[in-house]
Amino acid sequence: MQPNDPTNGNPGAWGAPPPPPPAGWLPPPPPNANPSGYGMPTGRPPIAGAGARIGAFLIDGILASIASNILLSAFGVNIEKSLKFDGNSLTPTEVFDGVGNYLLIATVIGLVIAVLNDVVMVRATGGSVGKRLLSLEIVNAESGQRVDTTGALKRLFLDVVGVLAVPFFAASTAGFGFAAAVSIAGFAVIIINLVLLLSDDRRQTLNDKIAGTVIVKNR
């Protein structure tokens, strides 16, 4: 045996693996692990559930619809009046002008409401009216900090498609292919977001993935 031989005369012991752990032993969790938070670091609020997210979406949609209808009525605008329907056949020009007038006003009103709710309200409180009523907050997926203006605008990008879906769907009844295409795209975004909301491990919709955000539940 050589002096200071770490194998103590047993060559097979050099570099031998450690003994196996006892039965039932589990490795320690990784740093900052929080399984209930879907990957959110320890100390941060848990990811909001799909039910709360859907509830907030419905609240926002209902409030936006009510506000839009009130403002459209105040301007005396609806699809029938815009087409000046009087029981007689309309010329293509009358249809085009009527639909264009309705879409312009409805789109502007819808976008103003969306910016107020999804950007101004989000920056001031951390969430839209519907989200705040259900104690939800939009945060950066990496830092956990409240979403900034850039992130809120990125989230709004796809919401704009959804905002346009309703008035364009109404206009598509007049036979406008472009309006029908926009309305289909808007509803498609809603369906895709719903699928992601139910399947993604962090409940990130397309809006969240574009903006790098998650929705958390504040207790």
Side-chain angles (χ1 to χ4, degrees):
M1 182 178 67
Q2 299 294 326
N4 300 322
D5 182 0
T7 67
N8 293 323
N10 182 7
W14 183 268
W25 179 86
L26 293 175
N32 295 329
N34 183 11
S36 64
Y38 293 93
M40 291 295 285
T42 302
R44 296 187 191 174
I47 297 292
R53 291 282 301 272
I54 293 172
F57 173 80
L58 292 176
I59 292 173
D60 284 332
I62 291 171
L63 293 178
S65 178
I66 292 173
S68 295
N69 286 329
I70 290 175
L71 292 174
L72 285 170
S73 297
F75 283 102
V77 176
N78 60 47
I79 192 65
E80 289 80 12
K81 288 183 179 180
S82 296
L83 291 174
K84 296 181 175 60
F85 184 74
D86 58 4
N88 299 318
S89 298
L90 295 171
T91 66
T93 299
E94 288 174 326
V95 172
F96 183 83
D97 290 344
V99 171
N101 179 56
Y102 170 78
L103 284 181
L104 176 61
I105 297 176
T107 297
V108 170
I109 289 176
L111 291 178
V112 169
I113 293 173
V115 170
L116 290 175
N117 194 36
D118 294 333
V119 178
V120 177
M121 182 72 180
V122 166
R123 284 299 296 130
T125 69
S128 63
V129 173
K131 290 181 176 64
R132 298 313 294 154
L133 286 175
L134 297 182
S135 299
L136 305 183
E137 186 175 4
I138 306 171
V139 300
N140 183 279
E142 299 301 325
S143 67
Q145 299 298 313
R146 178 180 293 180
V147 64
D148 57 15
T149 302
T150 300
L153 287 171
K154 287 181 179 179
R155 284 181 55 82
L156 179 63
F157 174 74
L158 281 181
D159 285 339
V160 167
V161 180
V163 167
L164 296 179
V166 176
F168 274 75
F169 177 75
S172 69
T173 59
F176 276 64
F178 173 74
V182 172
S183 63
I184 291 173
F187 291 123
V189 169
I190 294 174
I191 292 173
I192 293 172
N193 277 345
L194 180 60
V195 171
L196 287 173
L197 193 60
L198 297 174
S199 61
D200 188 84
D201 61 346
R202 303 180 84 181
R203 311 290 188 205
Q204 285 183 302
T205 62
L206 289 175
N207 309 61
D208 291 314
K209 293 182 183 298
I210 289 175
T213 58
V214 292
I215 311 299
V216 298
K217 178 75 172 179
N218 282 335
R219 294 173 178 174

